[in-house]
């Protein structure tokens, strides 16, 4: 299973192209894979910047904690556009969201083609145990298989809740905008409602409005 870190910051809306170009340059001219990084996805959601860093091994085990050799140069280049989100921010590690739940079906064969969806919401302070419990109960039932979910990871940082969903790409495409029709999905949403809400409730019309939009991707070729 791929190990992922999720960084959450504020980002100036409309600066996706500039930020993506910075990472594109350094991903081409350096070798992130020498530091254990095998991929990255940059996404935006309203005024949020999300950076999903993919590794083959937990950096706490490998000791490889930085994503690019030119870390400081990147920070300086994107500094005018990307700023800390947490109110308690003191150093770069405070921008890393904390994983509080992960799930994958036991003894399941991974789909040949998967897609990663990143859902962003707000979470009530201290609600992580309740949210984890609700997902664990749902994941013990048939809903994940019905939706083609191959794995899920839940993170939080300050009042932001980030939900990474690995899903069979064919099933995801077939069920696009139709999963709300499943009673078990409606039950899950109802149980989560006291603890999470849309990041921007005033512009939310349905679950798809909580999905972050990717604007840059990179994968190591060796």
């Amino acid at each position: 299973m791929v190990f992922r870190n999720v960084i959450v910051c504020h980002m100036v809306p409309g600066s996706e192209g500039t930020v993506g170009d910075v990472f594109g340059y350094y991903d081409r001219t350096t070798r992130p894979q020498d530091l254990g990084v095998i991929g990255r996805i940059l996404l935006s959601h309203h005024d949020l910047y999300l950076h999903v860093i993919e590794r083959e091994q937990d950096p706490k085990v490998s000791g490889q904690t930085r994503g690019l050799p030119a870390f400081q140069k990147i920070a300086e280049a994107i500094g005018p556009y990307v700023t800390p989100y947490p109110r308690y921010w003191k150093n770069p590690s405070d921008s890393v969201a904390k994983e509080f739940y992960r799930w994958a079906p036991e003894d399941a064969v991974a789909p040949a083609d998967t897609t990663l969806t990143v859902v962003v919401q707000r979470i009530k302070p201290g609600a992580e145990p309740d949210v984890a419990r609700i997902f664990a109960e749902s994941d013990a039932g048939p809903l994940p298989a019905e939706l083609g979910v191959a794995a899920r990871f839940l993170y939080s940082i300050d009042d932001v809740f980030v939900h990474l969903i690995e899903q069979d790409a064919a099933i995801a495409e077939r069920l696009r905008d139709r999963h709300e029709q499943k009673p078990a999905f409606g039950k899950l949403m109802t149980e989560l409602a006291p603890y999470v809400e849309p990041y921007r409730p005033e512009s939310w019309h349905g679950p798809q409005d909580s999905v972050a939009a990717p604007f840059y991707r990179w994968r190591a070729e060796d």
Side-chain angles (χ1 to χ4, degrees):
M1 182 182 295
V2 174
F3 182 88
R4 295 184 175 95
N5 284 128
V6 179
I7 295 171
V8 180
C9 297
H10 281 296
M11 184 169 71
V12 176
S15 61
E16 288 90 344
T18 301
V19 174
D21 286 346
V22 171
F23 277 95
Y25 172 77
Y26 285 105
D27 281 332
R28 290 192 304 271
T29 58
T30 67
R31 287 180 54 83
Q33 56 266 50
D34 291 343
L35 293 176
V37 176
I38 60 173
R40 78 175 80 254
I41 307 170
L42 306 184
L43 310 97
S44 62
H45 186 68
H46 296 290
D47 65 333
L48 291 181
Y49 158 92
L50 299 104
H51 182 175
V52 180
I53 304 171
E54 300 182 331
R55 303 173 186 268
E56 291 182 336
Q57 190 176 19
D58 185 338
K60 293 179 180 178
V61 176
S62 67
Q64 297 172 317
T65 58
R66 290 192 173 185
L68 280 175
F71 176 84
Q72 189 59 41
K73 292 181 180 178
I74 294 171
E76 292 173 357
I78 68 174
Y81 313 100
V82 177
T83 54
Y85 182 86
R87 290 164 288 183
Y88 50 78
W89 193 92
K90 293 182 180 179
N91 57 66
S93 65
D94 291 332
S95 289
V96 180
K98 306 299 187 295
E99 181 185 306
F100 66 91
Y101 175 79
R102 68 167 60 187
W103 173 86
E106 295 182 4
D107 303 323
V109 177
D113 185 20
T114 60
T115 184
L116 181 70
T117 300
V118 180
V119 176
V120 183
Q121 296 173 285
R122 292 192 189 273
I123 187 169
K124 290 189 175 181
E128 288 86 352
D130 291 297
V131 172
R133 170 183 54 79
I134 291 168
F135 271 102
E137 292 172 355
S138 175
D139 288 336
L143 185 61
E146 293 174 1
L147 298 180
V149 176
R152 81 169 79 250
F153 308 82
L154 308 184
Y155 305 79
S156 66
I157 181 169
D158 204 339
D159 65 340
V160 172
F161 168 50
V162 183
H163 179 183
L164 270 57
I165 309 166
E166 286 184 17
Q167 193 174 12
D168 183 300
I171 296 177
E173 182 60 31
R174 187 169 70 247
L175 295 179
R176 189 178 302 279
D177 300 325
R178 293 173 52 202
H179 48 277
E180 295 175 76
Q181 300 173 6
K182 293 185 174 294
F185 181 83
K187 179 176 182 292
L188 175 63
M189 295 299 100
T190 298
E191 293 179 349
L192 288 171
Y195 308 107
V196 301
E197 64 177 9
Y199 182 74
R200 288 280 177 82
E202 68 277 8
S203 61
W204 190 87
H205 298 94
Q208 284 301 313
D209 291 330
S210 291
V211 177
F215 62 89
Y216 174 78
R217 296 176 185 267
W218 170 82
R219 292 288 296 178
E221 296 180 356
D222 57 3

